[in-house]
Amino acid sequence: MNQHTRVEPAPIPFIDVGAQRRRLGTKIDDAIARVLSHCQFIMGPEVFALEKDLSAFCGARHSISCASGTDALVLILMAKGIGAGDAVLCPAFTFSATAESVALVGGTPVFVDVDEATFNIDIASLERGIATAQRLGLNQKVIMAVDLFGQAADYDSISRVATKHNLFVIDDAAQSFGGTYQNRKVGMLGDVTATSFFPAKPLGCYGDGGAIFTDDDKLADIIKSLRNHGAGTDRYDNVRIGMNGRLDTIQAAVLIEKLKIFPDEIAARDQVAKRYNEALNDICIVPRMPAGYGSVWAQYTIRVPAAKRDPLAAALRAGGIPTAMYYPKPTHKQTAYVNYPVADGGLPVTDKLAGEVISLPMHAYLDEATQERIVAGVREALA
Ligand SMILES: Cc1ncc(COP(=O)(O)O)c(C=O)c1O
């Protein structure tokens, strides 16, 4: 090696699914092999075993697996009969699938602002959004709260607003399954909950997957029917218009194995977040977790002055450290959604956060040495 050769630092993965796979050894291979030998690829025994395990994990009476987090939201809205003229109040600072599910069933997403400290629904803006929907002559039916980056929204406050205005609460928990709020688990926080098992989620499968959680027997029956083409009790008589929204048996088999180590992984993610918080809180705004919340850290997201964000990302990239921006363009500013209403007063916090947020590598297998490299890179770039 001559003096001009530059040794590139080894790239760090943003999420290390390979490390988890190594930990699980042959357990997943064996679980998939079992499905390959019984050949019940659709609604096989693993699907029902997983649903039982999910209920045992989160405490919901009904766990209904489905094909994705988006399908979970759509199935819930279909089951509630949401359609033309109905308002669904949701944040704009989230992944587009939140509002997309509403638009897909013909409803109107009404965008509300988020709280600067938690990134989740701001209660004052929610009230303003309800007034906006009323002024526009929409039927007010649903609050769709999102638990962004793995931390639950403030459901006690949300349910007070819901009760006051007679609204139904859906928890978009695509990023937060495994989290807790005031000693309750995600899955038990809204009237009904949707989650995603997209591979990068804290509990992810090896393809697309999702689930719905509720204690409402009637709603659960309708959702089970809807995810299977509106099936009734007579195999040849479909009783409602549904869809193909089932989870593959192979994905269920993968999830059964991953769920067994999930509590341990949640604790490890929390350690990683604590280390980041301690190492970075003097140079940027680190996530703030109010008392009574337990996050699963789907993302570890810091805030830096808008002018410093791109240079920070570039400096880290040069050092082999990936970052991501969730979400530089909030949903209400995206082409497909610009014509949907926003709460009176606009979404100033959402607009501000969109310019400042940047997420760092986060997963349960991020060792201390690697994390120190990331922290050093951030500190150097922001100095
Ligand atoms: C907040 C939120 N809602 C919904 C979804 C949709 O989930 P899926 O990708 O499984 O359809 C996601 C996925 O990223 C999400 O983050």
Side-chain angles (χ1 to χ4, degrees):
M1 192 188 299
N2 68 40
Q3 63 187 28
H4 300 297
T5 308
R6 202 170 152 247
V7 180
E8 293 295 333
I12 293 172
F14 192 69
I15 293 170
D16 195 348
V17 276
Q20 184 196 50
R21 187 148 158 65
R22 286 192 290 282
R23 170 183 175 171
L24 284 162
T26 61
K27 290 201 174 75
I28 293 202
D29 308 59
D30 297 346
I32 292 175
R34 283 193 292 276
V35 179
L36 295 181
S37 67
H38 69 52
C39 292
Q40 293 179 60
F41 301 117
I42 303 294
M43 300 310 258
E46 284 81 359
V47 170
F48 302 100
L50 171 69
E51 291 177 343
K52 219 165 136 234
D53 291 353
L54 290 170
S55 280
F57 179 87
C58 75
R61 187 151 50 188
H62 302 281
S63 295
I64 306 157
S65 61
C66 62
S68 69
T70 309
D71 277 5
L73 293 169
V74 169
L75 285 163
I76 292 168
L77 293 166
M78 286 170 78
K80 292 302 291 177
I82 300 302
D86 294 335
V88 175
L89 296 128
C90 62
F93 194 61
T94 169
F95 183 59
S96 59
T98 305
E100 181 188 41
S101 66
V102 180
L104 273 172
V105 299
T108 302
V110 177
F111 293 113
V112 304
D113 211 357
V114 292
D115 174 75
E116 188 161 347
T118 64
F119 305 124
N120 285 326
I121 276 189
D122 175 77
I123 300 302
S125 177
L126 178 61
E127 287 277 12
R128 285 197 294 277
I130 291 168
T132 308
Q134 210 156 20
R135 186 168 48 70
L136 295 173
L138 295 164
N139 306 314
Q140 294 169 63
K141 294 264 171 85
V142 175
I143 299 170
M144 187 180 278
V146 176
D147 306 336
L148 207 70
F149 304 148
Q151 180 178 322
D154 178 5
Y155 285 93
D156 287 345
S157 303
I158 290 170
S159 71
R160 268 194 294 278
V161 176
T163 306
K164 183 169 139 199
H165 297 278
N166 195 22
L167 300 172
F168 185 80
V169 179
I170 299 172
D171 175 2
D172 177 350
Q175 302 184 9
S176 66
F177 187 68
T180 54
Y181 169 79
Q182 311 299 358
N183 298 319
R184 284 177 279 151
K185 288 200 166 166
V186 167
M188 306 285 285
L189 305 180
D191 294 310
V192 61
T193 301
T195 199
S196 164
F197 299 130
F198 182 80
K201 299 296 187 215
L203 178 63
C205 54
Y206 288 166
D208 277 310
I212 296 158
F213 307 98
T214 187
D215 279 352
D216 182 333
D217 299 343
K218 196 163 155 245
L219 186 65
D221 280 348
I222 297 171
I223 290 170
K224 281 183 199 163
S225 162
L226 285 169
R227 82 168 162 184
N228 193 22
H229 301 290
T233 46
D234 175 343
R235 181 174 176 195
Y236 298 105
D237 184 32
N238 292 305
V239 296
R240 52 178 67 82
I241 307 295
M243 60 196 263
N244 175 358
R246 300 168 304 224
L247 179 73
D248 289 352
T249 310
I250 286 180
Q251 299 303 342
V254 169
L255 285 163
I256 288 170
E257 295 309 317
K258 288 208 188 188
L259 187 58
K260 290 178 190 160
I261 60 165
F262 192 39
D264 188 47
E265 290 187 330
I266 293 170
R269 296 176 88 94
D270 209 37
Q271 269 308 108
V272 171
K274 281 201 177 98
R275 288 202 297 256
Y276 270 142
N277 278 353
E278 280 160 22
L280 295 174
N281 72 52
D282 60 326
I283 49 155
C284 60
I285 303 177
V286 298
R288 210 194 70 196
M289 183 107 74
Y293 289 73
S295 178
V296 282
W297 303 103
Q299 302 297 339
Y300 183 85
T301 302
I302 58 172
R303 286 170 58 198
V304 297
K308 289 194 174 180
R309 185 172 65 174
D310 285 348
L312 170 62
L316 291 175
R317 199 180 316 118
I321 301 166
T323 57
M325 283 161 205
Y326 302 115
Y327 297 89
K329 199 169 199 184
T331 322
H332 71 299
K333 296 248 168 100
Q334 294 181 23
T335 308
Y337 298 91
V338 286
N339 292 324
Y340 288 109
V342 301
D344 291 343
L347 311 182
V349 176
T350 295
D351 293 336
K352 182 170 165 214
L353 290 175
E356 297 180 352
V357 286
I358 180 163
S359 303
L360 304 178
M362 161 55 78
H363 57 87
Y365 303 93
L366 190 55
D367 60 69
E368 258 185 275
T370 309
Q371 210 179 346
E372 273 164 22
R373 207 178 115 197
I374 299 166
V375 165
V378 175
R379 293 195 71 90
E380 195 185 326
L382 290 179

